[in-house]
Amino acid sequence: MQNMMCAALKENADIVICGIERGTDCAEFLRKKIRSEYTVIGMESAFARMYGGEWPLFISPWNKLYRKTLFEHVRFPDGRYFEDAATINLLISASSKICVMEDEGSFYYITPNSSSVTKRSIELQDREWALRKRMQ
């Protein structure tokens, strides 16, 4: 987190993104040394990387630091699944400078029965809703 904050301040970035490690045991993750190296990109490059195969890195809301003013007109919708997919495009669109740290600075604990693993009818409807919002 400290490396992300340093990058945000140094570059005056709107969003700082760090890599993601997934698993069920974070002990080894916590021992890792996270490098402070990053790349500065713009909105167009962020969308190109997101839709070019780096979807989880860019779509996940919890591996980022955001400039507070990005949320003056953007909110995550209440009561929806896949709300991150519907909202992240708006945040990236409002950003002129984004720092991407490739090192895994965030750990995603995999829960076997979470909504990201199991799909119910309402979740699939909300997924379609999120896709439509992104297309708009």
Side-chain angles (χ1 to χ4, degrees):
M1 185 65 76
Q2 181 179 355
N3 290 343
M4 293 173 74
M5 187 59 131
C6 288
L9 294 172
K10 181 178 179 184
E11 300 295 338
N12 196 27
D14 298 305
I15 299 175
V16 180
I17 303 171
C18 70
I20 301 167
E21 182 171 325
R22 291 179 177 83
T24 56
D25 181 8
C26 67
E28 186 175 328
F29 170 79
L30 293 173
R31 289 190 292 271
K32 279 186 177 180
K33 173 114 171 87
I34 307 299
R35 296 177 295 157
S36 58
E37 299 164 3
Y38 58 86
T39 304
V40 178
I41 62 173
M43 173 189 64
E44 296 85 6
S45 293
F47 282 126
R49 288 180 66 173
M50 181 190 309
Y51 294 110
E54 294 181 76
W55 177 262
L57 180 69
F58 283 87
I59 201 72
S60 302
W62 39 262
N63 67 323
K64 296 170 183 56
L65 287 180
Y66 304 90
R67 181 181 301 277
K68 180 181 176 181
T69 56
L70 290 175
F71 291 96
E72 287 177 354
H73 303 289
V74 175
R75 291 284 186 258
F76 287 93
D78 289 330
R80 295 263 193 188
Y81 294 98
F82 302 100
E83 73 284 357
D84 46 2
T87 306
I88 199 69
N89 283 3
L90 301 174
L91 297 168
I92 290 175
S93 292
S95 300
S96 58
K97 193 180 276 191
I98 300 167
C99 293
V100 181
M101 307 181 93
E102 304 297 338
D103 276 5
E104 291 86 6
S106 186
F107 186 82
Y108 183 83
Y109 181 81
I110 298 173
T111 305
N113 295 322
S114 73
S115 64
S116 62
V117 176
T118 60
K119 303 291 184 251
R120 296 177 296 230
S121 176
I122 188 69
E123 293 171 14
L124 295 175
Q125 290 172 10
D126 280 354
R127 185 176 188 184
E128 180 182 348
W129 166 83
L131 291 170
R132 289 180 190 277
K133 292 298 260 182
R134 280 203 334 264
M135 290 179 70
Q136 291 173 353

